[in-house]
Every structure is written in C-alpha cells, then in structure tokens.
Amino acid sequence: MLATRALSLVGKRAISTSICVRGEHGVAKVDDYALPAYFDRRENPLPDVQFVTELSAVQKSLKEKEKGSWATLSNEEKIALYRISFKQSFAEMNEGTKEWKSVIAGMFFFIGMTGLVVLWQRKFVYGPVPPTFESEWKEKEVQRMLDMRINPVEGFSAKWDYENKEWKK
Amino acid sequence: MFRAVVRLSTSGVRSLARIRPCYSAPLASRCCSHAKVETDEEFDARWVTYFSKPDIDAWELKEGMNTLIGYDLVPEPKILDSALRACRRLNDLASAIRILEAVKDKSGPHKDIYPYLIQELQPTLIELGISTPEDLGMDKL
C-alpha cells in the first residue's frame, strides 16, 4: 500500500507490471489501470501524473535547466517543458468539435426519409378521400350553413352579407 | 454559499470590490445555520498559508490547486502569487503556466478578471521568469 503510494508520487508508469510485496505473505500485481492516470480536464488543471513519463535526453537536460532561473529559458523551451507535463493546453482541450454539422445533417436526412415514406403512404396505402371533399359538395355545404344561420352573431354567418349575397369585406 | 470573487467596477477605475453573501433582512436577522462563517480575508489567508509552506511537495500543490479551482470563485492575486512561488520551489514551470490558464478559464464570461490578475501578478511573473500563456502563444490553437 505504501509502495503503491510512493509509486504514484513518483508517477512512473514504467513499473506498471512490477510486483509489490505485501507483508511477506504474497505478491500483488499492480495493473496499469490501477495507477494514477493522466487526463486533461478544465476542473482538474494539474493531473496526478506528467503526460510524458519517459524523458528523452534532451528533455532530461531541459528539466535540469528548469531548476535554474526560468528567465534564461527561451519560449520554445518553456513550451517544451509544458508539453512534457501536459498533453493539451486549455485552448486545445476546450476546442469544440464539428460534430454538430453531422447531427444537423442526420436530422435533415431522417426527416426527409420520413417525408418520402409519408408521400408513398398517401399514394399507395390510403384509399380515396370521401366525396364530401369535392368542391361542388363544399359549395352546397356552405350554402346550407348560411341558410341555417350558423354562428350568426360573431362567427360564420356573421361574415356573410345576406343583402348583397357575398362575403363581407 | 457564494464566496468572494475578484470583481471589477465597471466605471474604469480599477478597484477591488468583493461580493459578500447578502443577508436580505436587516431588521429581523435570521441565520439559518449557527456555523461560523469564514470571511473572505480568512479564506485568502488560509490559502496563502497553504501554498507558502516552504517544503511543499508536488502532491500538495496539485491537490491544493485542484481544490481551489473546484470552488465557485476566482482566486485572489495573492493566493496565485503564493501558488506560483510554490511552483518555483518545486522547479515546475509547466504547472505555473497551467495555473494561469486555469484561472483564465475559471473567469468564464468575465473577460476583465484575467487581465487584472496578470496586472497584479506582473512583478511576480517578471521576478520568477514565468511567461503567460499569451506570451507563448498557447492561448491560441
């Protein structure tokens, strides 16, 4: 337990397959997923481990230089030091994807497919509409409603001018 | 409970105005909890002390910083100053730059907080030789 804590402080993932002895009773293999992991999150700015665990010679010398005055480091060296410790900067981490375009495209596609299905249904599945929809029938229907004085105060017949036999302007 | 946030007055005069938790009924003052409320100064002092520990280790810096970013506030310049000096003691420039990025991100839509922080921290940044993410071009993609 203390050994794994010490391992996590050091942050070296190279010992992921190493074995720690616990109380001389047996060995426990420390799996990779059980060790602290690196992840870029806005709410966790300093992750548990460095991003780059195996430093190259150049990186090691840069780390040594870091122990001195930081004013002597060039911008490229500072960026290199940042990239050793972190994978993505905040700007890169917060960058949006272009996924919304696929989402909108998918939406339109499926709405279009549904439209085609509906049109096909209208033509091949449903039978003819009743005769009451014909314009001749409708004319007779309207005349009958006016003769019956349907809604004469504020509604249907109120809009008909009975003297001039036309709709009110 | 809202804690102190670094806010600027909109009149062009840069003065530090704290938002305090508002108790709306001065006549009948009623406190719901009898717990002692920590003032903003106490909060700041506690965190400055935390980062000022001379033999602070990397884990404590990470833990402290992540906790501080978890709060609903942007830390005061003096807390950040203390944290940056802790990074210097740990020889960790990358974390110092990361802290600056984090507080900028923490300000959210309030774009005037970060320039104020940088202005206040400028002496420390020059003294320690820390470049801001803007200097390094890291705020762009």
Side-chain angles (χ1 to χ4, degrees), chain A residues 9 40 42 44-47 66-68 70 75 78-79 81-82 85-86 88-94, chain B residues 59 62 65-66 69 87-88 91-95 97-98 101-102 105 128-131 135-136 138-139 141:
Chain A
L9 280 174
D40 280 313
R42 288 174 67 193
N44 208 53
L46 301 177
E66 197 184 12
K67 293 180 184 169
W70 291 340
N75 279 1
K78 289 179 180 175
I79 294 175
L81 281 169
Y82 184 92
S85 294
F86 305 111
Q88 288 183 312
S89 70
F90 265 70
E92 289 160 5
M93 178 196 320
N94 294 336
Chain B
W59 183 90
K62 285 186 177 65
M65 211 56 232
N66 290 336
I69 293 294
C87 290
R88 175 65 268 191
N91 298 322
D92 195 351
L93 175 64
S95 291
I97 301 172
R98 191 76 158 182
E101 280 189 302
D105 186 69
L128 300 177
I130 301 172
S131 305
D135 292 338
L136 300 172
M138 302 205 75
D139 57 327
L141 289 161

Side-chain angles (χ1 to χ4, degrees), chain A residues 42-95:
Chain A
R42 288 174 67 193
E43 59 270 14
N44 208 53
L46 301 177
D48 299 332
V49 290
Q50 275 184 332
F51 177 56
V52 178
T53 42
E54 321 265 335
L55 297 177
S56 70
V58 172
Q59 286 171 327
K60 281 189 187 144
S61 66
L62 194 54
K63 276 288 186 187
E64 283 302 312
K65 200 173 170 194
E66 197 184 12
K67 293 180 184 169
S69 169
W70 291 340
T72 59
L73 296 167
S74 71
N75 279 1
E76 286 73 27
E77 288 174 326
K78 289 179 180 175
I79 294 175
L81 281 169
Y82 184 92
R83 293 292 178 192
I84 290 173
S85 294
F86 305 111
K87 184 178 177 208
Q88 288 183 312
S89 70
F90 265 70
E92 289 160 5
M93 178 196 320
N94 294 336
E95 189 186 4

Side-chain angles (χ1 to χ4, degrees), chain B residues 8-98:
Chain B
L8 300 175
S9 58
T10 50
S11 66
V13 172
R14 292 203 166 222
S15 63
L16 181 55
R18 297 280 185 88
I19 305 288
R20 300 213 165 265
C22 292
Y23 300 113
S24 52
L27 293 172
S29 69
R30 228 176 285 155
C31 275
C32 300
S33 141
H34 292 285
K36 187 168 178 305
V37 175
E38 188 181 48
T39 65
D40 298 338
E41 288 78 20
E42 285 169 359
F43 177 84
D44 293 344
R46 187 161 56 85
W47 277 103
V48 167
T49 314
Y50 178 90
F51 286 120
S52 305
K53 189 172 150 208
D55 54 347
I56 195 171
D57 67 26
W59 183 90
E60 284 176 351
L61 172 68
K62 285 186 177 65
E63 176 73 9
M65 211 56 232
N66 290 336
T67 310
L68 192 58
I69 293 294
Y71 293 146
D72 185 15
L73 51 86
V74 180
E76 283 278 328
K78 53 177 175 292
I79 303 178
L80 296 174
D81 174 77
S82 187
L84 293 174
R85 287 182 193 282
C87 290
R88 175 65 268 191
R89 290 199 291 285
L90 289 162
N91 298 322
D92 195 351
L93 175 64
S95 291
I97 301 172
R98 191 76 158 182

Side-chain angles (χ1 to χ4, degrees), chain A residues 44-154:
Chain A
N44 208 53
L46 301 177
D48 299 332
V49 290
Q50 275 184 332
F51 177 56
V52 178
T53 42
E54 321 265 335
L55 297 177
S56 70
V58 172
Q59 286 171 327
K60 281 189 187 144
S61 66
L62 194 54
K63 276 288 186 187
E64 283 302 312
K65 200 173 170 194
E66 197 184 12
K67 293 180 184 169
S69 169
W70 291 340
T72 59
L73 296 167
S74 71
N75 279 1
E76 286 73 27
E77 288 174 326
K78 289 179 180 175
I79 294 175
L81 281 169
Y82 184 92
R83 293 292 178 192
I84 290 173
S85 294
F86 305 111
K87 184 178 177 208
Q88 288 183 312
S89 70
F90 265 70
E92 289 160 5
M93 178 196 320
N94 294 336
E95 189 186 4
T97 63
K98 298 190 182 63
E99 194 191 2
W100 66 274
K101 295 179 189 172
S102 315
V103 171
I104 300 288
M107 276 170 60
F108 286 143
F109 176 75
F110 283 111
I111 290 171
M113 286 301 302
T114 311
L116 286 175
V117 169
V118 167
L119 289 175
W120 177 87
Q121 265 187 339
R122 289 276 289 276
K123 195 160 160 45
F124 293 107
V125 175
Y126 296 131
V129 290
T132 54
F133 281 85
E134 292 158 17
S135 48
E136 214 183 85
W137 189 292
K138 278 293 180 212
E139 280 171 20
K140 289 180 186 162
E141 195 180 276
V142 167
Q143 186 57 60
R144 184 162 179 266
M145 282 168 75
L146 289 170
D147 294 342
M148 280 199 288
R149 303 292 194 277
I150 294 289
N151 292 340
V153 179
E154 286 195 12

